Amino acid sequence: SPEIVGFDPLNDSAMRADCLQWTQDQQVFAVVDANAWHDDEQLCITQENHTPLISTWTTVDNWTQRGDPYLWWTGPGVNEVLANLVSWGKGSGTLTSSTKLGVVAADREGDTLATGVLSKDLSAAGLRAADTGSMHFDLSDAATAQAEARDIVVRFNLEGIHTIIPLLPYTDFLY
């Protein structure tokens, strides 16, 4: 019978401990995530421990390839979302060759990979980002992310960049 377990998506070490308990100690058949099982913790269940995971949380397609055949998403991957965003932006006139566009990403692997995906999508549409910014992601070190966010905002304002695509976790986006 299914077991419903709560977890804190802001605590990666506790999520990893849950992953190991479920996959190694309990040897569950599968994990179904209704909301926020994310990033490396998805790969803990799938790639490392060969346990199926059905998750609503998505990132770049690289993740499903790394978790194959155990990782299944119920929503679109970031690759599709970014391709659609660029297509919509160009079609609506929001993104043009004269738009000064900035991209801000966290320094997590998935966000760094998403920056590369976005760059390719922009290039294919004849567009490019005027500047990019990177923010540290560490839930125990909000001060660094806050300082980096301020620096990026100041720099982008000085450069006249007022259109920004954020590739950030929610906590960094708030800063």
Side-chain angles (χ1 to χ4, degrees):
S1 70
E3 178 182 347
I4 298 173
V5 178
F7 67 94
D8 180 358
L10 301 178
N11 187 336
D12 288 345
S13 60
M15 288 177 66
R16 179 151 182 89
D18 286 344
C19 163
L20 297 176
Q21 179 184 3
W22 299 336
T23 60
Q24 294 179 10
D25 298 342
Q26 296 176 343
Q27 297 182 348
V28 299
F29 171 74
V31 176
V32 178
D33 167 41
N35 197 17
W37 201 264
H38 59 85
D39 299 312
D40 289 338
E41 307 328 317
Q42 286 187 339
L43 297 179
C44 175
I45 291 173
T46 59
Q47 184 182 48
E48 292 178 42
N49 291 290
H50 309 286
T51 302
L53 169 64
I54 299 171
S55 181
T56 59
W57 186 275
T58 69
T59 187
V60 292
D61 292 350
N62 174 278
W63 244 249
T64 54
Q65 294 162 4
R66 290 167 67 182
D68 187 45
Y70 303 103
L71 179 56
W72 302 341
W73 290 336
T74 61
V78 169
N79 295 55
E80 293 171 335
V81 171
L82 293 174
N84 288 334
L85 175 69
V86 170
S87 177
W88 170 85
K90 186 163 184 178
S92 70
T94 303
L95 298 177
T96 68
S97 59
S98 62
T99 302
K100 291 197 87 175
L101 170 67
V103 176
V104 182
D107 60 1
R108 301 182 309 175
E109 183 181 7
D111 299 326
T112 301
L113 292 170
T115 302
V117 169
L118 177 61
S119 179
K120 288 177 187 174
D121 290 339
L122 290 169
S123 180
L127 305 169
R128 69 173 192 80
D131 198 357
T132 60
S134 178
M135 290 176 57
H136 182 62
F137 176 73
D138 181 349
L139 292 170
S140 64
D141 181 16
T144 299
Q146 288 172 339
E148 290 170 344
R150 279 191 303 274
D151 291 346
I152 292 167
V153 168
V154 167
R155 187 176 81 230
F156 281 12
N157 277 328
L158 289 172
E159 296 173 8
I161 296 172
H162 301 292
T163 302
I164 299 170
I165 297 177
L167 302 172
L168 299 165
Y170 181 71
T171 51
D172 276 10
F173 182 70
L174 290 174
Y175 307 131

